[in-house]
Amino acid sequence: MTTQDAEMKELPAPISSSPSTLQHLKEIVSLLETGAYAREVRRIVRAIRLTMALRRKLKASDLSSFLNFALPPGSDVHTRLSSFIPKEEDYEMDVDSATQPPAKHPLPEIEIFCYLILLIFLIDQKKYGEAKACASASIARLKNLNRRTVDVLASRLYFYYSLSYELTGDLAEIRGNLLALHRIATLRHDELGQETLLNLLLRNYLHYNLYDQAEKLRSKAPRFEAHSNQQFCRYLFYLGKIRTIQLEYTDAKESLLQAARKAPIAALRFRVQCNKWAIIVRLLLGEIPERTVFMQKGMETALRPYFELTNAVRIGDLELFRTVAEKFSSTFSSDRTNNLIVRLRHNVIRTGLRNISISYSRISLADIAKKLRLDSENPIADAESIVSKATRDGAIDATVDHGNKWMVSKETGDIYSTNEPQIAFNSRIAFCLNMHNEAVRALRFPPNSHKEKESAEKRRERQQQEQELAKHIAEEDDDDF
């Protein structure tokens, strides 16, 4: 006994630090209980936000004590989840830190929350094998639950279930299970679950470059008003990638820019990916992105290869384009934009040809081949076919003198006498109107606000809840992305 007492006195730090985290977990459980009994989904959402803010402080001893508090010791769920918790040196000391008696019959919401928080902890600790087993067990339990207050917790479990398999390279194994879960969510009218599972399935298909199957699923899946901004941003990003591969660049550009604009400021990596694809799409459309796109805070280093690529396309220098593509080939491969950059070669040639047609009223095809740095066996014939195609497509306003091997450029007129300014203004006005309509649709009003006047006490309570909600939203980082 004396030896144990001495050991406990030598290690006071874990005892003093653990109850604070455990107390936060108990408060989250009480919030879940209130939301479950009152059937208020917003309380469940708030509990999830508090959990995400707490995830970096979690320890194995805290989770063990929490499971003893939230679940009946000796039950199947308690035994199963406890087996996933890694052992620590001071494990025995913190087990009894839960002072409140455990629930005899825990609510399904609390049981699913125990699965969720343990799964997050295992992924953060990079114990992916245990995380896969825990995720599979949680999904098997979820299939037997049909409660609207569980839907928010279920959507997070779906995300980490897919993530645990993606981190181990086994994403293809769960594709059939995700399709079955999406079917179940559709039958149960779980719209948040449908959103989450649709995005996970699209990510699964795109991970293996199955763009046709992803488009078939997307086109046939039921669509409704978005319930989660994060899920809507992901959907727009995946839609933009599919549209890009299918050569529908205008729609792809709109989806990618909207995803980057709607994403939270803290989701830096997600916004970087959106901007990378949007830059490539704009270059494929013949547009040159503004310099401010590459100078966004925190993105300068990540977008540097795409800035140099844009500079090569803007100048129309084919040799510089080849140099940049070879220099950053590893970056483009990791971003999966290599195939799109191969498509850009034609745009580089066309841009260089446009610059030549503006600078010269008449120029020989041999000089064009030299300026474009065409390295084929017969550069003059290649230059002639390139000029003819660009003229037919309307990229340049010129004619080809095949006898003398010349390109004769026509005199440029006043652009303001054409419809181009009107088209540009029309696109800007449409963009502003769409943004205004989205902002109006995003407005939220308290129920029956036009029928009854709230008292001063209710007003104070509502304002306090709004302040707390705003605080938690501001504390969110890019963990969701």
Side-chain angles (χ1 to χ4, degrees), residues 189-203:
H189 303 286
D190 175 12
E191 295 185 350
L192 180 58
Q194 291 179 62
E195 275 186 334
T196 306
L197 289 165
L198 176 60
N199 285 332
L200 293 176
L201 283 165
L202 292 177
R203 182 181 182 88

Side-chain angles (χ1 to χ4, degrees), residues 362-369 404-407:
R362 186 178 68 181
I363 184 173
S364 66
L365 297 176
D367 290 338
I368 291 176
N404 296 319
K405 301 293 182 181
W406 288 339
M407 181 187 77

Side-chain angles (χ1 to χ4, degrees), residues 151-318:
D151 292 347
V152 179
L153 296 166
S155 66
R156 289 302 176 104
L157 269 180
Y158 297 147
F159 172 77
Y160 289 109
Y161 171 59
S162 177
L163 179 62
S164 62
Y165 277 83
E166 182 178 353
L167 292 171
T168 55
D170 302 325
L171 204 55
E173 294 180 9
I174 61 170
R175 189 180 303 152
N177 208 3
L178 289 177
L179 287 168
L181 289 170
H182 186 270
R183 184 168 60 251
I184 293 172
T186 304
L187 294 174
R188 293 176 176 176
H189 303 286
D190 175 12
E191 295 185 350
L192 180 58
Q194 291 179 62
E195 275 186 334
T196 306
L197 289 165
L198 176 60
N199 285 332
L200 293 176
L201 283 165
L202 292 177
R203 182 181 182 88
N204 197 308
Y205 284 125
L206 297 185
H207 182 79
Y208 295 99
N209 296 324
L210 302 174
Y211 288 92
D212 290 339
Q213 295 184 32
E215 173 58 20
K216 288 178 181 177
L217 173 68
R218 188 209 64 79
S219 61
K220 295 180 180 179
R223 294 300 303 161
F224 36 77
E225 186 178 353
H227 290 261
S228 169
N229 182 60
Q230 290 91 342
Q231 297 301 331
F232 187 49
C233 290
R234 289 195 188 99
Y235 175 78
L236 290 172
F237 177 58
Y238 298 143
L239 178 60
K241 292 177 74 173
I242 293 171
R243 290 285 183 260
T244 303
I245 298 299
Q246 294 179 335
L247 306 179
E248 299 176 12
Y249 298 134
T250 304
D251 295 339
K253 171 191 167 185
E254 183 179 350
S255 297
L256 292 167
L257 292 179
Q258 192 176 2
R261 189 176 68 248
K262 283 180 171 291
I265 297 176
L268 181 61
R269 288 179 292 178
F270 179 80
R271 291 191 295 119
V272 166
Q273 287 297 319
C274 290
N275 278 283
K276 285 178 178 179
W277 279 75
I279 289 167
I280 296 292
V281 170
R282 293 183 67 180
L283 291 175
L284 289 168
L285 281 170
E287 303 176 8
I288 302 298
E290 300 81 5
R291 194 181 185 90
T292 53
V293 173
F294 305 95
M295 304 304 292
Q296 298 179 64
K297 186 178 180 181
M299 299 188 188
E300 297 91 343
T301 304
L303 296 181
R304 184 69 190 179
Y306 294 87
F307 173 74
E308 296 191 18
L309 188 71
T310 301
N311 189 44
V313 176
R314 181 181 61 83
I315 297 172
D317 191 336
L318 198 57

